[in-house]
Amino acid sequence: MTDIRSAYTDSISFFGPLEPAALAEQYGTPLYVYNESILRQRCSELKNLCKVPGFGVNYSVKANSNPALLAIVREEGLVVDAMSPGELHMDLLAGYKEEDILYISNNISAAEMRNAIDHHLVVSVDSLSQLDMYGSFNPGGSVMIRLNPGIGAGHHKKVITAGKETKFGILPEDLPAVQSLLEKHHLTLAGVNQHIGSCFMEPDGYIKACSVLLSLIDGMPESMRSHINIIDFGGGFGIPYHKYEGEARLDLAALGSGLDEILFAWKEKTGYTGRFLIEPGRYIVAECSVLLGTVEAVKNNGERRYAGTDLGFNVLQRPVMYGSFHDVEIYGKDKNASRAEMPQTISGNICESGDILAKDRLLPEMHEGDIVGILDAGAYGFSMSSSYNTRFMPAEVLITKDGEARLIRRRQTYEDLTAALVR
Ligand code: LLP
């Protein structure tokens, strides 16, 4: 390859027989490019994480809900969650059956709750108030509760979702109140779930939180726990975003054996025959996508050199929202064989000075017309994008396992921008 900087994607043959610059030319930028083989590989790694009978993977579609990708995830044998009517709609479009969709809710309206019940979904509620609502809509039904085990984890305080500092889950001290509400509405407790936070890179905290959840179940009265047949430990499995620094991967072997150890023992002790689920989003989809953009303008503002691109935070919000790091590649044949490396800041085209994708990165000198690739963009990339500054939302292309490019979402048009207006 003669791309300017593409060692990582070359090493895994991300683009297969296709050239990123040619994809950018054909479909335009910004463009999310996905690789089917990598997506399948991540699904299978997690499906094989544990040996304990009943183990399964519940893909959390908030990370990426494109139905073309969901259909692949379904073929790989993963079930899915939904936390909004829109996500449920995408799950169904991808061919998921209602029995393979868990509704993991947070502060939902009465209409949403009824929608989930009308679809016969197993619903997890995460407050006493919503449990009461569920019971009044579906007396005699089965419900799950989301517990807050008191231990949080994650790459940023905005994504830590357990412990007393968060809005999520029912605290253990409220379990007696849960029991009263179950009795009041003649509900069966079908399962429990938790989610401690997003992007952990060490297995220990997750394993510990699993033990805590199991001991919370142990502490429930027999009448409350006897029908539990889904225990969902949540997601949060991290990926190495610092590819060019050789960041280590999450040790799945250690995580899997650590989980197996406690799950086999607990099964043995309790005679449990139900399902054990994990609920990852990022791990499944982050690494199967590279976001392509174009360098439109280069300038020096004082000491700092800016490469201005079409990748505003409307396209990829993570760097602005969490200060997240994504590695950068630069594509296109290098006519100017030796490009000096220098610190450069990659910015977008949004009218805010915070619109920075990567700050002071040591990269080969960028020029107008270069194509940049933002690695690991598949999770919380498109799904958090917007049409801020009234820009079109990006297109998405899938490189199939046969090495062909397939458009799975076209770029928005003026018609899309105005479709919901009432005039
Ligand atoms: N289950 C529940 C209930 C969740 O709230 C989440 C993520 C997941 C599962 C999946 O977590 P994952 O395996 O993807 O870490 N936008 C942020 C991440 C927010 C995560 C929100 N909840 C980011 O870009 O880093």
Side-chain angles (χ1 to χ4, degrees), residues 277-330:
L277 295 177
I278 56 171
E279 198 172 276
R282 182 189 321 269
Y283 193 90
I284 301 289
V285 285
E287 293 171 289
C288 75
S289 180
V290 173
L291 168 63
L292 299 182
T294 304
V295 178
E296 305 289 4
V298 175
K299 68 164 138 185
N300 294 308
N301 264 3
E303 294 292 287
R304 185 163 276 141
R305 185 176 165 82
Y306 285 94
T309 70
D310 54 0
L311 300 178
F313 69 79
N314 58 314
V315 179
L316 179 67
Q317 209 181 128
R318 303 192 68 255
V320 169
M321 179 94 163
Y322 317 108
S324 300
F325 180 97
H326 286 260
D327 263 317
V328 175
E329 294 195 339
I330 307 168

Side-chain angles (χ1 to χ4, degrees), residues 378-400:
Y380 308 106
F382 187 94
S383 69
M384 288 174 70
S385 66
S386 76
S387 48
Y388 183 42
N389 279 193
T390 317
R391 292 194 171 278
F392 299 141
M393 290 186 33
E396 299 182 286
V397 158
L398 177 69
I399 302 177
T400 65

Side-chain angles (χ1 to χ4, degrees), residues 323-374:
S324 300
F325 180 97
H326 286 260
D327 263 317
V328 175
E329 294 195 339
I330 307 168
Y331 311 117
K333 305 279 178 275
D334 195 358
K335 297 171 197 85
N336 181 4
S338 59
R339 291 198 186 196
E341 291 217 326
M342 58 185 68
Q344 292 166 91
T345 290
I346 304 178
S347 57
N349 52 5
I350 294 297
C351 58
E352 295 199 25
S353 49
D355 184 29
I356 303 291
L357 200 54
K359 200 168 171 189
D360 296 332
R361 297 280 181 89
L362 194 62
L363 291 168
E365 181 176 5
M366 282 183 266
H367 299 307
E368 290 85 352
D370 285 345
I371 300 300
V372 292
I374 310 300

Side-chain angles (χ1 to χ4, degrees), residues 224-257:
M224 191 169 169
R225 68 174 139 84
S226 59
H227 291 98
I228 291 179
N229 66 7
I230 302 176
I231 302 175
D232 182 340
F233 297 111
F237 300 66
I239 62 119
Y241 281 100
H242 293 258
K243 299 277 192 287
Y244 274 81
E245 290 162 36
E247 184 183 357
R249 299 192 68 78
L250 173 63
D251 187 346
L252 284 186
L255 179 56
S257 63

Side-chain angles (χ1 to χ4, degrees), residues 388-419:
Y388 183 42
N389 279 193
T390 317
R391 292 194 171 278
F392 299 141
M393 290 186 33
E396 299 182 286
V397 158
L398 177 69
I399 302 177
T400 65
K401 55 185 186 319
D402 307 319
E404 278 159 22
R406 177 158 77 86
L407 189 66
I408 57 171
R409 189 192 307 262
R410 63 162 172 73
R411 190 172 310 286
Q412 277 193 331
T413 61
Y414 290 114
E415 287 69 34
D416 295 320
L417 288 181
T418 53

Side-chain angles (χ1 to χ4, degrees), residues 60 62-63 81 104 146 155 159 161 168 193-195 197-199 234-237 241 279-283 318 322 324 379-380 384:
S60 191
K62 54 185 70 63
D81 72 358
I104 308 286
R146 174 169 175 170
H155 70 85
V159 302
T161 49
F168 293 105
N193 66 298
Q194 68 181 15
H195 174 70
S198 196
C199 205
F237 300 66
Y241 281 100
E279 198 172 276
R282 182 189 321 269
Y283 193 90
R318 303 192 68 255
Y322 317 108
S324 300
Y380 308 106
M384 288 174 70

